[in-house]
Amino acid sequence: MLDAVDAVLVRELQRDGRATFQALADRVGLSRTAVRARVQHLLETQVVRVVGIVHAAVVGAEAIGHLSVTVDGSARKVAAAVAERPAVSFAALTAGPYDLVAQVRTRDDAALAAEVDHIRSVTGVRAAEVFRSVATVRDTHAVVRELGEVTLDGIDWRLLQELQRDGRAPYTRLAHIIGLSQAATRARVVRLMRSGVIQVTGLADPLALGAAELGGFGLVVTGGLRKAADAVAAQDGIRYLATGFGRYDIVGQAEAASRSELVAVLDAIRAVPGVTVRESWHHLDVVKESYTVELPDQPLNGSA
């Protein structure tokens, strides 16, 4: 567990991964030097990783499928094979009606169907049920707002690549890579973030923040779907929520400090009018959680 200061720093980095050391120092009441040392320690020990998450619409990865998989034999071996697929952004071993769950992101439904077929062909996979996400209502790590019309040049794409690798990359290094001044580089990064093209955030170790329990759930809804989804998303402990079609109307993830608190989250969901928890499962081990996507490699031919 982190001390109170480190916990606040991690939460601030989750909110704004590029927050300056001075802004963080003002938030926790320590010197800039002390905060720099603490943040560097958090990054070096991988308590938190600061990464850039590119909006799905920018990279054409808007077809999202949530897979519930049952296996014969070793679930861990199957999960490891599934996690190797670049299109798989999340995979976890679970206790409940399924042996593992996974999230797949592709450019369209045809590519999604092909990816699901590949996963079904993995040795040991007995069955894989698919929930096709239509709208992401809540995601603590990714941009979920509508993306307006944006035009990106080669410099923008290169900045996105670098920010995916290191969300806190200094402007001096970014400027050297793209060949612009620090001021021009900063202006481009700020534009990319404010427009929603990329969100720079901290991916934290849940255990370090006291969120020792992670679970998933599938809901069915009577009445207005979006109204019910918004009400569920507003509950404490909701990490991810999406509407769509398949076995459920809504799929989500919840996190809590203990099993009893995780039960309390599910009870709060059950209290939402028109919502029924059809199935829930406990995440035993997260095998993969990655938001990195392949970006087009374009020449640096933009202008400041």
Side-chain angles (χ1 to χ4, degrees):
M1 286 287 292
L2 303 176
D3 65 22
V5 172
D6 281 348
V8 171
L9 290 174
V10 171
R11 293 296 187 191
E12 289 298 309
L13 290 172
Q14 288 179 311
R15 187 180 62 83
D16 178 7
R18 291 195 68 82
T20 65
F21 290 120
Q22 187 58 58
L24 294 172
D26 293 342
R27 178 67 178 84
V28 299
L30 294 179
S31 70
R32 184 175 181 276
T33 301
V35 166
R36 177 191 287 271
R38 280 178 175 262
V39 170
Q40 288 178 339
H41 178 71
L42 291 170
L43 293 171
E44 289 170 0
T45 56
Q46 295 193 328
V47 169
V48 64
R49 295 181 294 119
V50 179
V51 300
I53 301 174
V54 180
H55 196 293
V58 174
V59 293
E62 296 181 276
I64 302 174
H66 299 266
L67 275 63
S68 303
V69 182
T70 52
V71 309
D72 293 317
S74 171
R76 184 170 293 280
K77 288 179 66 174
V78 172
V82 169
E84 288 180 356
R85 301 293 298 172
V88 173
S89 57
F90 180 88
L93 297 167
T94 58
Y98 306 99
D99 300 306
L100 64 99
V101 295
Q103 184 186 80
V104 178
R105 293 173 178 262
T106 62
R107 65 183 181 276
D108 54 32
D109 283 334
L112 179 60
E115 191 66 32
V116 172
D117 278 350
H118 181 91
I119 290 173
R120 286 193 175 114
S121 70
V122 170
T123 301
V125 171
R126 185 193 310 164
E129 295 188 13
V130 184
F131 171 88
R132 171 61 165 90
S133 173
V134 172
T136 301
V137 181
R138 178 174 174 78
D139 190 336
T140 56
H141 294 315
V143 183
V144 298
R145 65 178 175 173
E146 290 279 337
L147 185 67
E149 287 191 22
V150 293
T151 301
L152 303 177
D153 61 20
I155 290 177
D156 292 326
W157 285 113
R158 186 60 185 273
L159 285 172
L160 294 177
Q161 288 176 338
E162 294 302 319
L163 291 171
Q164 275 199 142
R165 297 189 188 100
D166 178 5
R168 288 187 68 81
Y171 287 117
T172 51
R173 179 157 69 83
L174 294 175
H176 176 73
I177 290 171
I178 65 175
L180 295 180
S181 68
Q182 287 188 47
T185 301
R186 175 184 171 84
R188 280 184 176 258
V189 171
V190 170
R191 177 178 61 84
L192 291 170
M193 292 192 297
R194 286 182 177 172
S195 65
V197 170
I198 191 169
Q199 176 172 313
V200 180
T201 185
L203 302 182
D205 179 354
L207 291 176
L209 292 176
E213 303 296 335
L214 182 64
F217 51 84
L219 313 177
V220 293
V221 173
T222 301
L225 178 58
R226 184 64 195 218
K227 181 179 179 181
D230 287 339
V232 173
Q235 303 299 315
D236 290 339
I238 301 301
R239 191 172 189 254
Y240 176 87
L241 199 78
T243 60
F245 51 86
R247 185 177 180 85
Y248 321 109
D249 299 313
I250 298 173
V251 157
Q253 288 182 11
E255 61 183 7
S258 65
R259 290 185 182 180
S260 62
E261 290 187 20
L262 191 60
V263 171
V265 174
L266 291 173
D267 282 346
I269 293 171
R270 292 186 181 96
V272 174
V275 171
T276 300
V277 178
R278 169 167 282 179
E279 291 177 336
S280 61
W281 49 92
H282 189 209
H283 290 208
L284 301 175
D285 186 20
V286 175
V287 178
K288 180 180 183 180
E289 185 173 18
S290 173
Y291 292 88
T292 300
V293 295
E294 185 174 350
L295 300 177
D297 192 9
Q298 297 187 10
L300 300 179
N301 57 359
S303 59

